[in-house]
Amino acid sequence: MNLSDKVTIPAQVMARTVGDETVILDLASGTYFGLDPVGARIWALMGEGRTLAEICATMLEEYEVEREQLEADVLRLAMELAERGLVVAAQ
Amino acid sequence: MAEVDFRFGTGKPQVSFDLPLFHKWMFPDGTPWTYFYRKGEGYLLRFPGLGDFDVSADGLFIQAWPVPGVSEETIQHLYLNQVLPLALSKQGKWIFHAGAIDTPFGAVAFLGESGRGKSTLAASFAMSGYRFFTDDALLLEKLEDVYLVQPSHPSIRLWRDSQEALVGDDVQLAPPVQYTSKARLLSGGELGFCPESRTLRRMYFLGDGSSTDVCIERMTPSEAVMGLVKNSFLLDIEAPDAVASHFNRLADMAELQIYYRLDYPRSYDMLPAVRQAIIEHAAAEDA
């Protein structure tokens, strides 16, 4: 996976916002995953169909963070979610 | 607790069949404990060597089929502690792996898997004047914005060492059952049971006992959702609509500011300090 990728959320995956966090559930596997507020923001932007690079660009405007660090964090989260079947990489 | 038509069948050996198996519960050592099968519109729950239970699709009817030689008390015990909570989940009720006690500030629940100390805590509080609602299967009902803890079966199951340390022998026991050496202590005397519903005040998720002192930490909402999911009964984990509904209801519930991790060294000597910490914490408005 790289920054030019988009990810899609499979139909069997649902998410709920609780407080400023998000919990994701895969109805098919029963897998649950919790996201902190920053992860929840990334998840919301993923749901808008943006590429990971576009997500980083948006978040650089919203958070005080180094681009390099942010890109690494977004990629790491995307890959972790993909490994759990909670997102699917799309070109 | 129950709105279920429960019936005993005659003894019946457990034969193999072709029903679709969709779930199973195992002991930590890999020994099977419960097999979940689909049977027509409903379910069949098999406890190997003990008995089968037919559960209707709506959770309103349960028929037990004991293995020949298995006592009625054993089947009743399985029904109350394992099958009934699962059936109630099919009725849309909220059932959790939790003990609960009554305090002057509302009901306090302790959630955790087997062995985390739910029954020990419930017995410890009950013997100190705080009546218990349940030691293992907590039934909640939602009334507008309030969650009510409902009384369950008026008994607590304890290992012999816990009974000796906390309760002694001056207590009425239910007849023994054939799959556990835990005694079932019936309420009465100092072991007080709360037969009325009470507003839920706190939910504590029990740690593994690695803490060196009593430790209470607030959980984040997402941690609370996942903790509630992990500790709730749900019979049909393959029905997407039911799982989604269950998830949404627990996510709504997680918005409450009542969820905490609780850990403490597992020593009977620590229990007075644990009780005091919990009561003080439950009393605080802004914990």
Side-chain angles (χ1 to χ4, degrees):
Chain A
M1 192 176 292
N2 59 60
L3 290 170
S4 63
D5 287 338
K6 293 179 182 176
V7 296
T8 58
I9 299 169
Q12 80 276 6
V13 173
M14 62 183 292
R16 269 291 306 263
T17 300
V18 280
D20 54 4
E21 301 180 323
T22 292
V23 183
I24 307 166
L25 163 65
D26 183 342
L27 292 169
S29 67
T31 301
Y32 289 84
F33 196 73
L35 296 173
D36 65 15
V38 176
R41 180 64 180 140
I42 296 171
W43 174 264
L45 293 168
M46 286 174 172
E48 294 176 6
R50 304 183 190 208
T51 65
L52 300 182
E54 289 167 343
I55 290 171
C56 290
T58 299
M59 293 193 68
L60 279 169
E61 295 173 2
E62 299 177 357
Y63 296 87
E64 287 189 18
V65 60
E66 295 295 324
R67 173 182 293 275
E68 203 168 283
Q69 181 64 53
L70 177 65
E71 289 177 348
D73 289 347
V74 168
L75 268 174
R76 186 168 52 243
L77 177 61
M79 286 190 283
E80 187 169 3
L81 292 170
E83 282 171 12
R84 293 168 187 260
L86 300 173
V87 298
V88 175
Q91 296 299 312
Chain B
M1 176 178 186
E3 293 172 12
V4 171
D5 180 1
F6 176 50
R7 299 183 190 178
F8 266 86
T10 53
K12 197 163 77 171
Q14 287 179 322
V15 296
S16 58
F17 42 54
D18 292 330
L19 297 175
L21 175 71
F22 69 93
H23 189 41
K24 56 189 169 185
W25 284 345
M26 312 290 279
F27 288 113
D29 67 359
T31 307
W33 168 234
T34 315
Y35 291 109
F36 295 66
Y37 297 94
R38 297 194 184 282
K39 185 179 179 186
E41 296 287 304
Y43 309 92
L44 184 146
L45 306 182
R46 167 160 288 183
F47 296 85
L50 298 171
D52 291 346
F53 293 78
D54 287 322
V55 180
S56 64
D58 57 12
L60 291 170
F61 177 79
I62 298 173
Q63 168 89 53
W65 302 102
V67 168
V70 172
S71 68
E72 183 174 331
E73 289 78 12
T74 298
I75 296 299
Q76 278 280 4
H77 202 264
L78 283 172
Y79 166 70
L80 282 173
N81 291 286
Q82 311 291 332
V83 182
L84 179 59
L86 290 165
L88 290 175
S89 77
K90 287 299 295 178
Q91 296 183 23
K93 296 185 185 297
W94 313 52
I95 317 286
F96 297 91
H97 292 283
I101 54 113
D102 185 28
T103 79
F105 317 103
V108 166
F110 313 107
L111 295 89
E113 58 206 67
S114 294
R116 286 287 166 111
K118 301 186 295 293
S119 298
T120 299
L121 263 186
S124 170
F125 271 104
M127 293 302 291
S128 303
Y130 301 94
R131 300 176 300 170
F132 72 95
F133 297 95
T134 179
D135 72 328
D136 191 50
L138 168 65
L139 172 61
L140 282 185
E141 290 191 359
K142 190 179 182 194
L143 189 65
E144 296 179 349
D145 293 333
V146 174
Y147 291 86
L148 295 175
V149 172
Q150 301 293 336
S152 180
H153 193 269
S155 64
I156 292 179
R157 296 172 304 154
L158 290 178
W159 297 111
R160 180 67 192 169
D161 59 341
S162 294
Q163 181 188 340
E164 288 175 354
L166 300 172
V167 183
D169 289 325
D170 188 19
V171 63
Q172 191 182 355
L173 298 177
V177 298
Q178 289 163 271
Y179 65 89
T180 175
S181 56
K182 273 185 175 177
R184 186 148 61 98
L185 286 59
L186 302 177
S187 67
E190 290 181 81
L191 196 66
F193 177 69
C194 183
E196 309 101 27
S197 61
R198 294 293 308 273
T199 302
L200 177 64
R201 174 69 172 170
R202 295 273 191 271
M203 285 187 132
Y204 297 100
F205 290 80
L206 298 176
D208 61 6
S210 58
S211 175
T212 56
D213 202 348
V214 183
C215 177
I216 298 175
E217 294 176 328
R218 183 186 287 277
M219 295 170 70
T220 69
S222 64
E223 288 173 335
V225 174
M226 290 187 284
L228 290 169
V229 168
K230 185 179 174 188
N231 289 287
S232 57
F233 285 87
L234 186 65
L235 201 166
D236 197 340
I237 60 166
E238 284 192 330
D241 290 348
V243 175
S245 169
H246 185 65
F247 176 64
N248 275 323
R249 294 200 310 170
L250 296 183
D252 287 341
M253 192 177 161
E255 299 280 1
L256 300 174
Q257 302 288 312
I258 61 169
Y259 305 101
Y260 298 86
R261 267 184 293 276
L262 167 66
D263 202 19
Y264 51 92
R266 297 303 192 268
S267 153
Y268 296 120
D269 294 341
M270 283 297 296
L271 288 173
V274 175
R275 290 196 306 268
Q276 182 179 348
I278 290 170
I279 292 299
E280 289 175 1
H281 189 262
E285 282 304 320
D286 185 17

